[in-house]
Amino acid sequence: MLLISACSGDNNVPPRPVNAVIQGVNFIGSTVSDLEVTSDFYTNAVELQLSDEQEIVNDAVFNHLAGRSDVRLKTKLMKSSNTQVRFMQFESPSEAAKNTKHVEINGPGFAHVCYQAQSQTQAYQKFIKAGAIPIGDPDMIQLSIKNPVHYAYARDLDSTPIEVEHVDIEKLNRTTPPKYKHRIRHVALATPDFNRTIKFYSTLLEQEKPRIVGRFFSLSGEKFDAMSGLKDAELKMAFFHVRNIELEIAEYVSHPTSAPETPRPIDALGYNMVVFDVTDLALAKQKLITAGGTVETQPQDMDGGKIFFGRDLDNNLLGFQLLEASSPYSAKNFDGDGSS
């Protein structure tokens, strides 16, 4: 039941300092093969809405992250009720990117984004009708009859994993219904070293006690096998609440993965970054280094503000961005804390 509450509508989130350096998630980055097709795919299924679009040519930040000059790409910033995904289509992807395999549900790296929707929206069915491929059982799975949530994993049109949660709001034990029909519940990181990754993000996010499920006894059973498509699946999970969204950390102890020897190319299909909204770039850099991460770039101009990039202990790319509240890229545009 701890896992159920963590993945559904539980509002009992662990406390974080009000003045934490990281105040939210501006966006999750994802490389796609066709920007227009992808944006239509997500708009039709979970009502992501266009917030901003850009054509980027020979930009210093993206040149550095891609490891070459004259990088060209088009992007669409698509928003849900609580955060955003920035889809990126690179012109002439590198050979390394073309030869990079898609990420499995057990990682390593950014493994999936979870889209939560009220059941009557039929979000999962819309994804499947539009061409998404189920990863496990094609039918959604209810993990507990006591909790009115059904779950499924699938791959989008670029084989990028997504999770869909359907919530039956008529059966929720709440005095008021959720405010929105759709939201992005979390972005998931799959790691080969659960405890090390928990320690890193506890320091970075100033949250010493994330919700942890399966630390001592791994989660397992037929329903987890059916969801993940992995035989005899065993996993443990943790959830960090970053105001407008959650960061999920997962380790499949039954199907271990190794962190790649070199970072995943930014122009390889799939999730490529998480960009945090910060109050101070210097303090954010200090937090990253103290946690054991590495600095990838110095602060540079991007999207009307300043940003630097770093990497966590598994080489996942993290952005730390300082923006005005009026910027469409800022997490400050979303009210509440992403828990309803």
Side-chain angles (χ1 to χ4, degrees):
M1 283 304 298
L2 288 174
L3 173 61
I4 306 302
S5 65
C7 292
S8 57
D10 184 13
N11 290 325
N12 297 319
V13 297
R16 296 180 68 238
V18 175
N19 61 344
V21 176
I22 293 175
Q23 290 286 302
V25 171
N26 287 344
F27 64 83
I28 303 150
S30 184
T31 299
V32 304
S33 60
D34 190 312
L35 199 57
E36 298 302 324
V37 170
T38 297
S39 59
D40 287 345
F41 176 80
Y42 283 95
T43 296
N44 293 335
V46 287
E47 297 187 7
L48 294 191
Q49 299 298 313
L50 180 66
S51 181
D52 190 55
E53 55 186 329
Q54 294 187 40
E55 184 170 356
I56 299 171
V57 178
N58 202 25
D59 176 80
V61 173
F62 281 96
N63 283 353
H64 181 96
L65 296 177
R68 62 184 193 275
S69 61
D70 198 29
V71 171
R72 297 168 181 262
L73 68 152
K74 295 180 179 179
T75 77
K76 283 194 175 188
L77 185 70
M78 307 289 292
K79 65 180 181 179
S80 186
S81 61
N82 62 309
T83 194
Q84 309 173 110
V85 180
R86 187 177 193 174
F87 296 112
M88 309 176 188
Q89 181 181 349
F90 286 81
E91 182 181 309
S92 302
S94 64
E95 288 301 314
K98 294 177 184 177
N99 293 326
T100 299
K101 296 180 179 179
H102 59 243
V103 173
E104 301 294 343
I105 199 66
N106 57 329
F110 298 120
H112 69 261
V113 167
C114 175
Y115 294 90
Q116 189 181 77
Q118 296 180 16
S119 298
Q120 70 269 24
T121 67
Q122 296 289 285
Y124 176 67
Q125 289 79 5
K126 290 176 181 177
F127 273 130
I128 298 302
K129 186 177 180 180
I133 304 298
I135 289 176
D137 195 307
D139 295 323
M140 302 193 81
I141 294 170
Q142 186 175 12
L143 294 178
S144 169
I145 60 173
K146 296 182 180 180
N147 200 62
V149 183
H150 288 74
Y151 306 83
Y153 288 122
R155 292 191 179 277
D156 72 5
L157 303 179
D158 286 315
S159 291
T160 300
I162 55 176
E163 180 184 3
V164 185
E165 295 180 1
H166 276 184
V167 181
D168 187 343
I169 60 170
E170 294 182 357
K171 296 180 180 179
L172 275 181
N173 185 23
R174 292 179 54 155
T175 56
T176 58
K179 185 176 181 180
Y180 301 105
K181 291 182 179 180
H182 303 87
R183 64 169 166 161
I184 296 174
R185 179 62 179 173
H186 59 252
V187 55
L189 276 174
T191 178
D193 193 327
F194 188 74
N195 291 332
R196 185 183 72 155
T197 302
I198 294 299
K199 183 177 180 181
F200 173 86
Y201 281 100
S202 293
T203 300
L204 180 69
L205 300 175
E206 300 177 68
Q207 187 174 337
E208 295 182 359
K209 296 181 179 180
R211 290 175 292 176
I212 298 180
V213 201
R215 182 193 289 274
F216 303 109
F217 300 98
S218 299
L219 302 167
S220 61
E222 292 181 358
K223 291 186 177 182
F224 289 102
D225 290 6
M227 278 183 60
S228 65
L230 299 173
K231 182 176 174 55
D232 299 326
E234 295 183 30
L235 70 156
K236 43 192 173 182
M237 310 169 74
F239 297 84
F240 290 91
H241 194 81
V242 199
R243 193 185 69 79
N244 61 321
I245 190 175
E246 284 191 322
L247 176 66
E248 174 191 301
I249 308 296
E251 180 183 358
Y252 282 78
V253 295
S254 57
H255 297 73
T257 58
S258 300
E261 294 182 1
T262 58
R264 185 178 179 85
I266 190 175
D267 48 348
L269 295 177
Y271 306 114
N272 58 25
M273 66 178 70
V274 170
V275 174
F276 295 111
D277 190 318
V278 306
T279 60
D280 186 290
L281 292 175
L283 290 178
K285 181 179 178 181
Q286 179 182 332
K287 287 289 181 186
L288 176 65
I289 294 172
T290 300
T294 56
V295 176
E296 183 82 6
T297 71
Q298 296 305 310
Q300 294 173 285
D301 294 330
M302 186 171 130
D303 305 326
K306 292 286 186 181
I307 191 170
F308 78 89
F309 283 90
R311 295 191 182 273
D312 69 7
L313 301 177
D314 291 334
N315 270 328
N316 298 303
L317 187 63
L318 307 175
F320 302 86
Q321 195 170 28
L322 184 63
L323 292 168
E324 295 293 334
S326 58
S327 169
Y329 289 84
S330 175
K332 303 178 186 72
N333 288 308
F334 301 98
D335 60 355
D337 63 0
S339 61
S340 62

